[in-house]
Amino acid sequence: MQGAAFKEKDLTSALVRVVKSSVTDSDAISVPCIEQIISKAGITRSSGINVYHLVEARALVLYEFKLDRYDAELKTALLYFIADYPVFRWSELRYFFSDPEIEIESILHELKYISRELEVDGELEYVWSPRWLWTKTVLKRLANRNRAGDPSFFEFLNYTPEDNT
């Protein structure tokens, strides 16, 4: 039986192949283009995929194409992100960062952040916050602000394939 890391790697390489075969010109590869191809490939919420796995699949494909990466400046970029959004959803973070999850999590833990799976807007989602904040405070802070990211990203998250019958 394969471990989760191998399955994730297989999925990522399959999605990268789908993107490469769908785009004729390698210069035409962009974030919106990749999101559209991933959605058409069936990686959607209507397929029963939760937000976490959806944004992780997107982030891994973007990372393979070297889009939305910070490399050496990851910690600095995360500090600026946290300054803007002290409490944030994992999907909001992954909109801005496609770097490996393990590297991002290690920096967040170093900054004394913890992850909690909370129901936000009727959807279970991982939320990161300083470890000393109460859950009630975290939910209140999320409710008092708009979701970080581009509206087209939320279209990607909520994409449902058209029924051609």
Side-chain angles (χ1 to χ4, degrees):
M1 179 178 222
Q2 287 184 335
F6 292 110
K7 291 178 187 175
E8 188 174 83
K9 189 174 182 180
D10 290 345
L11 174 65
T12 303
S13 61
L15 288 173
V16 167
R17 285 193 307 272
V18 167
V19 170
K20 284 182 179 177
S21 68
S22 298
V23 177
T24 55
D25 184 15
S26 63
D27 294 334
I29 294 177
S30 65
V31 175
C33 173
I34 289 173
E35 288 174 352
Q36 184 179 31
I37 293 169
I38 289 173
S39 294
K40 287 183 180 176
I43 308 297
T44 64
R45 302 265 308 281
S46 62
S47 303
I49 299 174
N50 66 17
V51 173
Y52 171 80
H53 290 103
L54 187 62
V55 297
E56 282 306 308
R58 173 191 178 269
L60 292 170
V61 173
L62 292 178
Y63 188 79
E64 288 294 318
F65 284 105
K66 299 180 180 9
L67 297 171
D68 292 342
R69 291 177 58 180
Y70 287 92
D71 293 331
E73 301 120 18
L74 178 61
K75 187 171 185 175
T76 305
L78 274 173
L79 286 170
Y80 284 121
F81 179 80
I82 288 171
D84 290 337
Y85 308 104
V87 175
F88 52 89
R89 298 169 180 93
W90 184 249
S91 59
E92 293 173 321
L93 178 76
R94 292 309 256 169
Y95 171 75
F96 294 102
F97 298 88
S98 67
D99 297 272
E101 179 180 3
I102 295 169
E103 292 175 21
I104 292 173
E105 283 186 355
S106 68
I107 293 170
L108 290 173
H109 286 298
E110 182 183 319
L111 297 171
K112 307 292 189 238
Y113 266 67
I114 62 166
S115 175
R116 309 165 198 204
E117 189 176 19
L118 300 174
E119 188 172 327
V120 182
D121 300 330
E123 178 79 35
L124 277 178
E125 198 165 351
Y126 289 102
V127 175
W128 285 82
S129 66
R131 66 178 175 196
W132 54 83
L133 276 183
W134 290 10
T135 302
K136 186 176 181 178
T137 307
V138 170
L139 290 171
K140 190 176 186 181
R141 287 189 180 181
L142 285 174
N144 289 335
R145 70 169 175 81
N146 292 331
R147 198 173 186 132
D150 187 5
S152 65
F153 176 63
F154 307 123
E155 290 173 17
F156 164 70
L157 286 180
N158 297 313
Y159 175 80
T160 53
E162 295 175 10
D163 198 13
N164 293 336
T165 57

